[in-house]
């Protein structure tokens, strides 16, 4: 059955059937016997989700697709490990129409071998108050290493890292197509049409707590009777395709390219948010513009630059990125466009710059050499 067919079947299921069947609960995961290939993941990303997911998959090996139903995210590090489990098992992910998946839930969506967003997909910068010290470094480094592995484009990462953590950026149907967010192989998918009166581009919404679209219908609390989701009368064996193993690991060269593009575009965030990421990007000592400098001096230099130009936009030209690696030390070169401004000083600067990074993949992809030069203004 195609994804479009599954969407129609879900929408047309009789209301009596929806109310009659009680799900098997695994924390925020719901399994409905009438749809043995599906597992619903709703409400939020919580502390015990990995254990609950493994239990559900162990007891129901027929599951091949995770339905992300009105999930507003939650704990960043849990979202990352749940995403990795889905990726390694080769499971599919799906956001139904009139549902949403945002923040840490987006990691889970991107991990799907086949993934389709008929509903709303929201991203923003990491906000992880539950992580401190080394745990926070783990979260940043994991995003650098894993999201590009899932086939998330640098454009999407740029939007993610330039959207403040207190806001949410929901991709429009046009952007979902443009950035290759849906990945359905040879499976026919339903066409995403813009909502009536909707904008052509994506939309930010603030604050982040208000991630639920107004038309979304949240599931009721766990206490009391729970209606099942709209399930087809005869559940399909698999709404996408037969479950496959996860794609082969990408090369060190591609990992380095993805990480470098993300690092540059992370500078598009606010001063505070850009510095939070910059602190994680550098080794203790760096060959910085042809001079050996300690990390503390580099951070001071970056902080002064961000203060001088508080509004910034960096866009990497993907076609220019090249990498060469040896023993997990990778040199990455490329070109990016920039536009920076200071409303207080009434100044704006635009242009194009090249860059060279050397990344140590053995040390959380940290930069050990950096150089760049403006090539046009």
């Amino acid at each position: 059955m195609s994804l479009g067919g599954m969407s129609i079947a879900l929408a047309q299921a009789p209301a009596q059937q929806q109310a009659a069947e009680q799900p098997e609960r695994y924390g925020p995961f719901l399994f409905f016997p009438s749809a043995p290939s599906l597992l619903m993941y709703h409400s939020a990303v919580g502390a015990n989700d990995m254990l609950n997911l493994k239990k559900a998959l162990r007891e129901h090996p027929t599951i091949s697709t995770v339905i992300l139903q009105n999930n507003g995210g939650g704990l960043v590090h849990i979202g990352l490990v749940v995403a990795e489990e889905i990726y390694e098992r080769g499971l599919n992910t799906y956001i139904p129409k009139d549902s949403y998946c945002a923040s840490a839930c987006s990691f889970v969506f991107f991990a799907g071998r086949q993934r389709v967003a008929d509903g709303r997909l929201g991203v923003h910068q990491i906000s992880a108050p539950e992580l401190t010290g080394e745990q926070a470094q783990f979260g940043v480094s994991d995003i650098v290493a894993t999201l590009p592995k899932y086939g998330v484009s640098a454009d999407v990462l740029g939007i993610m890292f330039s959207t403040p953590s207190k806001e949410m950026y929901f991709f429009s149907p046009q952007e979902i197509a443009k950035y290759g967010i849906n990945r359905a192989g040879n499976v026919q998918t339903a066409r995403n049409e813009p909502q009536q009166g909707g904008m052509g581009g994506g939309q930010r919404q603030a604050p982040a707590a208000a991630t639920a679209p107004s038309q979304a219908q949240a599931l009721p609390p766990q206490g009391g009777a729970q209606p099942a989701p709209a399930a087809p009368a005869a559940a399909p064996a698999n709404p996408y395709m037969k479950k496959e193993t996860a794609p082969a690991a990408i090369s060190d060269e591609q990992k380095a390219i993805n990480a470098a593009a993300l690092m540059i575009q992370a500078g598009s965030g606010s001063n505070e948010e850009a510095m939070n990421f910059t602190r994680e990007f550098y080794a203790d000592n760096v060959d910085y513009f042809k001079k050996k400098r300690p990390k503390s001096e580099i951070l001071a230099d970056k902080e002064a630059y961000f203060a001088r130009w508080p509004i910034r936009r960096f866009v990497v030209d993907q076609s220019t990125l090249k990498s060469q690696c040896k023993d997990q030390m990778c040199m990455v070169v490329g070109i990016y466009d920039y536009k920076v401004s200071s409303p207080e000083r009434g100044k704006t600067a635009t242009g194009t710059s090249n860059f060279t990074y050397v990344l140590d993949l053995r040390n959380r992809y940290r930069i050990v050499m950096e150089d760049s030069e403006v090539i046009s203004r």
Side-chain angles (χ1 to χ4, degrees), residues 46-84:
N48 296 319
D49 289 6
M50 187 62 172
L51 292 175
N52 286 316
L53 173 62
K54 286 191 171 184
K55 183 177 180 182
L57 295 174
R58 183 173 62 251
E59 295 184 3
H60 303 287
T62 56
I63 293 170
S64 58
T65 298
V66 177
I67 307 295
L68 301 168
Q69 173 82 28
N70 296 335
N71 190 316
L75 301 181
V76 168
H77 65 295
I78 298 297
L80 289 168
V81 295
V82 168
E84 192 66 6

Side-chain angles (χ1 to χ4, degrees), residues 219-243:
L219 290 176
Q222 292 193 12
Q226 303 294 327
N238 190 321
Y240 294 78
M241 56 186 292
K242 291 184 178 179
K243 184 164 58 176

